[in-house]
Amino acid sequence: MAGAQPPARAGPMLEALNAAMRAQVAREWRGSPPHLAGLERPKAEGWAAAPGDSRPTDPIMAAAILGGVFPLAGETLAVAAGADPWSRASPSRAFALALHRFGWLPSLTSVGEAGQREALRLTLAWDRVFGRWNRFSWAPEALERRVFNLACAGRALTASATQNERLHLSQSLARQARYLIALAKAQPRAAEHLAVAAVAGAALAGQAGQRLLEASLPRLSAALTETVRPDGVHASRSPQAGLELLFDLLALEDGLSQRGAAPPDAVSRAIDRLTAALRILTLSDWRLTGLQGGETCTAPYVAAALAHGQQTELEAPPPPDAAPRGGYERLNAPGLQVMVDAAAPAEGPWSLAACGQPLAIEVVCGRDRLIASSAWSPEAAAPQGLRMAAGASTVTIGLGHVGAPLGGFAGRSLGARLTGGVRAVTASRRESEAGVWLDMAHDGWVKQAGLTHERRLFLDKTAHELRGEDRFVPTGAARPASLPIAVYFHLHPDVTALIARDQRSVLLRGASEIGWWLRNDAGEVTIEPSVHLQDGRPRRSEAVVLRARLRADRGGRVRWKLALAEVAGSESETGGTA
């Protein structure tokens, strides 16, 4: 799936050079004694509030930590009784990042007095080693989450602490939150940094908390107008990024309420918009769509974010509004639901997690997610190639790709931004009692293949069918060359696939054991290994791939249909049980 990275142009190289120089100067200043000394005032006076984090906690993780085992990022680290992990080598960078983010803290403080005492011991031990400053543990990817977790758990964390310990830890939080505000100067995470700093301000008593709120809230209001689109989708187009920002803003709203203060209008407006978009980007299996740099997350995790909107039970989300959200189109029929990425990826700084997978689809049948994607996210230790077209349920032409992440010096300085590929995507939707038609096209393959990819979908509301047609239309740049094309249908790890005797139709079964036929007119049908990322870790899965060849100057098409299988005929067509 990985593709060669294109050479960086002069523009990105110059921008990368400037960014690298600025970053070096900033790192030297932030770690300098004058800057660190400036983080000490005003002194914190303890806790004023306990902002509520709506994210579910994990009692199993808490029990493991109480037993001296830290299960983080898919790995474990055992420490002796009474010891701590701060002076030990971590199994991986991902583990170290999870450890220093304190994502384990809410679970530990939620299991009672024993968990709170252990959380206090571990936090004080961390502060002795890293509390002043450290390049890794104070980097934004660790600092932001740690400040949030400390702010929300502060009161519970210090319930059994001495007065000196309470003051010491509240001062440590204030110091870290001030440092975080200094980092929040540019997108794409300015809103996230400022929201977390404001949560810390709401949690802290006295002038320390008040000054943090005064420094962060006005800037947060401005950052949210850039980060949250009017339709509620995060500017990165990542559904998971919008979900996580919503959780943080809900905690801020709660913390301010405990202080007797109302949130700024921009915060309330962002909460409303993010919630509305989340309801649309959540499918009927109660998971997110796993497109554009976000994982699907667990059903309880997504439900926790929607609970504030009075939707507390795991019921199917309502039908979408007439207008699409952030370029996503959702097609609904009884027992069948389709999500389509019908817009270009984010650009520039917002594209650090963007994926070059135009017109990708995900399909949920009942409560089974049958057709999915790799669900690549920045948190996953997975190949960047999963961000390209072959990593989702869409089309590839030849051996190329529509967009690739920056690499080399430019990538190290600017981040793995997505460059090249799609610029224009069109979508036209019609709906009636019979069904929903969606006609789309994009220009991502024109430069390298001379072809426009058009995808037409029809969701039949009465026959329980999804019909698709992928057309490859020649443009003036087309050459009389033979090109291979492939139409990918990535399957969820819980789905099994079996090719029928005709070597063309594929029987799909999800966890519910209900069968669905994927029929097509492609020249070749194969079932190939794939991967689906969950909680940052890969799960083995499969992909149904429809292959054909065409002459670029003539174009061509592949038609396919997903339909409910007749139980009586399934075994006879496949020669066995799928």
Side-chain angles (χ1 to χ4, degrees):
M1 293 180 185
Q5 296 175 346
R9 302 184 314 249
M13 284 298 294
L14 182 58
E15 185 181 359
L17 181 61
N18 290 332
M21 295 174 62
R22 291 194 303 268
Q24 179 62 30
V25 172
R27 280 194 297 268
E28 292 178 1
W29 163 245
R30 290 173 190 144
S32 67
H35 179 245
L36 296 177
L39 302 176
E40 297 295 336
R41 299 288 178 180
K43 290 290 185 181
E45 302 174 19
W47 309 94
D53 182 9
S54 303
R55 296 172 177 88
T57 56
D58 186 351
I60 297 177
M61 175 193 290
I65 293 174
L66 286 171
V69 177
F70 288 78
L72 303 171
E75 299 181 85
T76 59
L77 176 67
V79 299
D84 64 71
W86 308 121
S87 58
R88 300 280 302 276
S90 291
S92 66
R93 187 183 187 279
F95 182 98
L97 193 57
L99 184 66
H100 284 268
R101 283 176 169 176
F102 278 41
W104 45 268
L105 183 60
S107 296
L108 199 53
T109 56
S110 70
V111 295
E113 186 176 347
Q116 292 168 1
R117 286 198 306 268
E118 181 64 4
L120 176 63
R121 186 185 71 82
L122 291 169
T123 303
L124 289 170
W126 178 90
D127 195 73
R128 284 192 295 272
V129 180
F130 300 104
R132 294 298 301 169
W133 185 79
N134 172 269
R135 178 165 291 186
F136 173 80
S137 62
W138 284 60
E141 54 266 34
L143 178 67
E144 177 195 298
R145 290 296 92 201
R146 184 173 63 253
V147 169
F148 181 86
N149 289 316
L150 283 169
C152 293
R155 272 189 170 170
L157 173 69
T158 58
S160 60
T162 66
Q163 177 65 6
N164 284 339
E165 288 171 339
R166 282 193 289 271
L167 291 175
H168 181 80
L169 289 182
S170 62
Q171 176 66 5
S172 177
L173 174 62
R175 185 187 307 117
Q176 295 177 65
R178 292 169 191 141
Y179 190 92
L180 184 62
I181 289 178
L183 297 176
K185 293 183 177 179
Q187 301 295 2
R189 293 201 65 82
E192 284 80 356
H193 288 356
L194 292 166
V196 167
V199 171
L204 292 170
Q207 283 296 307
Q210 187 61 35
R211 294 277 185 86
L212 280 170
L213 289 173
E214 291 171 356
S216 58
L217 288 179
R219 291 175 59 192
L220 173 61
S221 295
L224 285 174
T225 61
E226 294 185 65
T227 304
V228 182
R229 294 177 170 182
D231 60 14
V233 173
H234 195 278
S236 67
R237 298 196 64 233
S238 165
Q240 187 181 10
L243 169 65
E244 299 297 346
L245 179 57
L246 176 59
F247 273 126
D248 290 353
L249 294 179
L250 290 172
L252 174 58
E253 182 183 54
D254 182 61
L256 292 173
S257 175
Q258 292 179 40
R259 295 174 64 105
D265 289 343
V267 172
S268 299
R269 187 163 53 249
I271 288 174
D272 291 342
R273 289 174 173 174
L274 288 166
T275 302
L278 178 61
R279 289 167 68 88
I280 292 173
L281 298 174
T282 302
L283 299 181
S284 56
D285 61 351
W286 262 95
R287 292 174 177 262
L288 294 178
T289 182
L291 297 170
Q292 288 303 325
E295 295 188 20
T296 60
C297 302
T298 66
Y301 196 83
V302 177
L306 290 173
H308 80 100
Q310 310 303 319
Q311 193 174 358
T312 57
E313 297 181 2
L314 291 185
E315 300 171 349
D321 299 336
R325 296 271 174 169
Y328 291 100
E329 295 273 359
R330 198 171 89 178
L331 286 59
N332 292 296
L336 197 58
Q337 195 173 67
V338 186
M339 184 68 77
V340 188
D341 184 355
E347 297 181 344
W350 297 108
S351 70
L352 292 175
C355 299
Q357 300 163 344
L359 313 189
I361 65 172
E362 293 196 322
V363 182
V364 177
C365 302
R367 290 293 178 92
D368 295 339
R369 187 164 302 206
L370 290 191
I371 298 172
S373 68
S374 64
W376 182 92
S377 77
E379 299 300 315
Q384 293 280 324
L386 294 176
R387 298 171 65 183
M388 300 180 203
S393 297
T394 186
V395 162
T396 64
I397 301 177
L399 301 177
H401 45 75
V402 282
L406 277 177
F409 173 75
R412 290 191 299 273
S413 300
L414 300 175
R417 298 181 182 184
L418 192 73
T419 60
V422 179
R423 286 294 173 266
V425 180
T426 61
S428 174
R429 176 176 178 147
R430 293 177 292 128
E431 190 161 358
S432 70
E433 293 184 0
V436 187
W437 290 261
L438 185 61
D439 290 286
M440 302 167 291
H442 75 88
D443 63 354
W445 298 106
V446 170
K447 185 175 181 180
Q448 55 192 294
L451 295 168
T452 296
H453 173 211
E454 298 180 354
R455 171 166 273 188
R456 164 172 282 192
L457 302 175
F458 174 63
L459 182 62
D460 193 318
K461 294 182 179 180
T462 58
H464 305 291
E465 290 182 356
L466 171 65
R467 302 171 205 163
E469 180 179 22
D470 287 294
R471 299 180 66 231
F472 307 91
V473 181
T475 67
R479 299 280 190 269
S482 176
L483 292 172
I485 61 171
V487 183
Y488 284 83
F489 296 91
H490 289 266
L491 307 179
H492 188 272
D494 296 335
V495 176
T496 60
L498 191 65
I499 297 179
R501 288 174 176 172
D502 64 5
Q503 296 299 303
R504 188 178 302 276
S505 305
V506 183
L507 182 64
L508 308 177
R509 292 188 190 274
S512 68
E513 292 297 320
I514 297 174
W516 293 80
W517 281 114
L518 179 60
R519 304 185 189 277
N520 62 89
D521 62 2
E524 179 187 4
V525 181
T526 59
I527 298 176
E528 303 177 6
S530 182
V531 65
H532 183 81
L533 296 163
Q534 186 171 314
D535 298 326
R537 309 299 295 177
R539 292 184 63 189
R540 291 182 180 179
S541 62
E542 295 180 317
V544 178
V545 186
L546 314 181
R547 299 189 182 277
R549 295 194 71 90
L550 54 77
R551 268 188 48 159
D553 58 334
R554 295 178 181 174
R557 69 180 183 183
V558 174
R559 294 176 295 183
W560 48 269
K561 179 174 74 172
L562 183 69
L564 189 64
E566 293 291 338
V567 177
S570 297
E571 291 191 12
S572 61
E573 288 192 59
T574 60
T577 302

